[in-house]
Amino acid sequence: MRMPLSARIGLFFTAVYFGAAIFAPWIAPYGMAEIVGDVWEPISADHLLGTDSIGRDLLTRMIYGGRTTIFIATMATIISFVTGSVLGFLAATLGGWADQALSRFVDLIMSIPTLIFALVLLSVMPVDVPVLILVMGLLDATRVYRLSRAVAVDINVMDYVEAARLRGEGRAWVIFREILPNALSPLVAEMGLRFIFMVLFVSTLSFLGLGVQPPEADWGGIVKENKDGIIYGIPAALVPAFAIATLAISVNLVADWVLNRTTSLKGGRG
Amino acid sequence: MGIALKLVAQRIALSLLLLFLVSGLIFAGTQILPGDVAQSILGQSATPEALANLRRDLGLNEPALQRYISWLGNAMQGDFGTALTNGQDIISSLSGRLKNTLFLAFWAALISVPLAIFLGLVAVRYRERWPDKLISAVTLTSISIPEFLIGYVLMYFVGVKLGWAPTVSTVYADMSLGAKLQAIALPVTVLTLVVLAHMMRMTRAAILNVMQSAYVETAELKGLSMFRIIWRHAFPNAIAPVVNVVMLNLAYLVVGVVVVEVVFVYPGMGQYLVDHVSKRDVPVVQACGLVFAAVYIGLNIAADVISILSNPRLRHPK
């Protein structure tokens, strides 16, 4: 099937952002914490996006910030997916008591708004990158759990799973060789959406001053550092916010395409 | 009426149980760190005496379960203790700020709910034509944009460049309603935009679902006017899903408020919470977490109750 234009645009920009994140030290024109000019210098040939609240090159901060944001979001997505899908598949295959206990516990966690619960947890945790990734990943795993359990429950009653069981295969085989390959496509589409959610989540936390701590840069943190300029008509804080939005929209376009493709492969339910 | 009332009573009982469990989770969430609260407030370099003093003041020497029971008991009587950072009574700071937050959320809801339902209806009326496509494109964009981006973009263009609205939303208790409304114009707009798209999309789906059912087709074949079909046949059946959509989004609104309040320096619950998370003021965080969770659960349960009550099959059992 040909890729629609929107998905190509999305893929292109996603690749640009990831490329910039991976090769940050080679692309960035200055050092990350290097003070190279005056406070909030306007856009010029030396500073393509101007300078920030204490005179660091904004483009450099953006590139390094994107690196942090994308790294944290990716790691948290991986944790969320591994935990959520393994537990979801386990709950679906075990059934009965274990399923009830896990599902009700997940319901309980989901009855508290994620941001509020994350704030409660971060109020007592040391705020550093591993803790952030873990808190975000585990809180979001509840959503992945729900999806993967729902998908796996459907697959679990299929004839080929029954056949595998009768053959005498163990639970690990059923989960990894029967359920996982068939559950992969909805999970992959969901992964894009979870990744966006993570980008927004970590940016929000950093914006609130509870995420990545200075002098490390990340997009939410750059908004926070430069927000005071807004009142004086200096748009520096809008740059990272714009980057967050374009990255999220690009990934969304790709995820949307994957989702459409997988549903049409299955005879198109939606 | 019997069945419906029984179901409603069940839901309310269930939500109280849920709230009880949530309080346990919030309390436990602040106990899971490797050291303890005193250690994390004072940092690694604290002297043993200071640690011991703080532990005694916080009652940390008693077992966790006992502390939880006394915390919950006091909280149910409206006593959340005092803030660690300034020693003020939490409930008195909290109630004023909760009022401010609800004030903000109320106006945002008042604007966004009718607008979303109206636009949802427009999208259904012109399905697969340009108004519908425009609406879904805007929706896709707006769920990808963080609240603070919308906040700062509005602040920059409307507040600073055009000067139409104040960029900082300071409100006092003795301000007139008009002055208050002017102060919160920008945050209300941001909150409206944040929930509008989602609410519109879900309303569209809910009404489309009803419009595709057999009885609407029958009504069409009978030759009824479009207005009569929507008003008499589709609308009563769409109330439950639409109310659900509205309530879910209001619950989201209460959370979105946290970020928007920080952006516009609005003296509400969200700002109070965020301030005290960074100061590691655990009693305040627990109190705010509990209140936010209670509002969130309350709205969800209200959605449940309204959809039960609006279901004619449950209201008039055979």
Side-chain angles (χ1 to χ4, degrees), chain A residues 111 123-125 227 241 248 252, chain B residues 22 33 144 149 152 160 280 296:
Chain A
S111 70
S123 72
V124 292
M125 298 274 206
K227 67 179 180 186
N252 226 330
Chain B
V22 161
L33 67 166
S144 315
L149 169 64
Y152 282 124
V160 178
R280 300 186 177 279
Y296 191 73

Side-chain angles (χ1 to χ4, degrees), chain A residues 207 227-228 231, chain B residues 97 100 104 152 155 167-171 183 187 257-268 271 275:
Chain A
F207 167 71
K227 67 179 180 186
D228 297 330
I231 315 170
Chain B
R97 282 166 176 272
N100 284 347
L104 188 63
Y152 282 124
M155 193 193 272
T167 51
V168 173
S169 312
T170 330
V171 293
V257 142
V258 174
V259 176
V260 173
E261 278 177 8
V262 173
V263 169
F264 290 99
V265 204
Y266 181 78
Q271 217 207 8
D275 268 2

